[in-house]
Amino acid sequence: MMFSARHLAAALLGACTLLSGCASPPLRLYTLGMPSDQNVQPPHLSARAQTVQIARIMLPDYLDTQDMVIRNGEEILRSPKSRWATRLSVGITDLITNEIATFHPTLLITDQPLADAATLRIQVNVSRFDVDTDGQAVLDAYWAIMPQDPQQPLIRERAHLTANGSVASDADMAALMRKLVIMLADKVNASLPPHQ
């Protein structure tokens, strides 16, 4: 039995149609970072500017991935169509650094390595960061602010933060998580000692 070129073309077209129907929707990438159109004031740093170094945020292992997850009771559900643009710990660190920097334009607030010792170092540990299918979000964290001068006191604080919001889409969930991270950044900022 021989197939004509016409039959072969029709068969190939049908196969392509079937395959395109099975293709998954494009992957969406989300970030917790500052929107690119935000009006951020440029820093006014002097040669003697104090430096605050923020260490990479510590998260539970199951959260520190690029997977966007939501909790349904004891079950952790991964989004099949969306991911974080970076590991979640990197995204949280970036957002906290940027948020604190907006309050201190004369300080160098960074999460990058420094050439010399920082005036202050901040280490934040997030022990819980859950968003559930009902739209309830919880973030538990504790942090330490360590001065370069050993004569200065070590500052330790903790926070239990909650928020409610829509989780109808992954974008809604990202916005809710961003809100909690900003609340955490504001708490950490409030515990910073006054600078000269």
Side-chain angles (χ1 to χ4, degrees):
M1 186 169 160
M2 298 190 67
F3 288 101
S4 70
R6 188 177 197 188
H7 286 107
L8 186 56
L12 285 173
L13 181 61
C16 288
T17 303
L18 283 174
L19 287 175
S20 66
C22 296
S24 60
L27 182 68
R28 292 183 175 265
L29 295 177
Y30 290 91
T31 179
L32 291 172
M34 304 296 270
S36 59
D37 60 349
Q38 178 140 349
N39 186 13
V40 177
Q41 295 294 325
H44 304 287
L45 300 177
S46 74
R48 298 176 157 259
Q50 293 183 336
T51 55
V52 178
Q53 185 175 31
I54 300 176
R56 186 164 164 179
I57 306 302
M58 303 296 291
L59 283 173
D61 286 344
Y62 78 95
L63 287 175
D64 195 17
T65 69
Q66 285 184 263
D67 293 334
M68 292 187 75
V69 297
I70 193 164
R71 180 179 287 279
N72 183 18
E74 298 300 314
E75 186 178 12
I76 303 296
L77 305 172
R78 182 173 64 93
S79 172
K81 57 186 182 230
S82 301
R83 290 173 63 86
W84 295 113
T86 64
R87 292 179 75 90
L88 188 55
S89 61
V90 174
I92 293 173
T93 304
D94 288 346
L95 181 53
I96 287 176
T97 302
N98 290 332
E99 184 69 12
I100 292 175
T102 62
F103 291 102
H104 305 281
T106 60
L107 299 181
L108 174 59
I109 313 282
T110 183
D111 56 9
Q112 301 300 309
L114 294 167
D116 54 357
T119 309
L120 294 173
R121 285 182 35 246
I122 301 174
Q123 175 64 63
V124 180
N125 297 303
V126 173
S127 56
R128 179 180 178 198
F129 194 7
D130 285 324
V131 178
D132 70 21
T133 51
D134 294 327
Q136 296 178 332
V138 177
L139 191 155
D140 290 328
Y142 58 95
W143 61 93
I145 301 174
M146 298 156 278
Q148 178 185 20
D149 181 356
Q151 303 301 316
Q152 298 296 316
L154 177 71
I155 298 170
R156 294 181 191 274
E157 294 286 347
R158 69 171 57 177
H160 173 77
L161 306 169
T162 61
N164 294 312
S166 171
V167 289
S169 70
D170 290 333
D172 291 336
M173 188 174 74
L176 182 56
M177 292 178 77
R178 183 176 194 279
K179 178 180 177 181
L180 273 177
V181 173
I182 289 175
M183 290 168 62
L184 174 60
D186 292 345
K187 293 278 188 186
V188 173
N189 181 61
S191 65
L192 284 172
H195 56 279
Q196 284 85 15

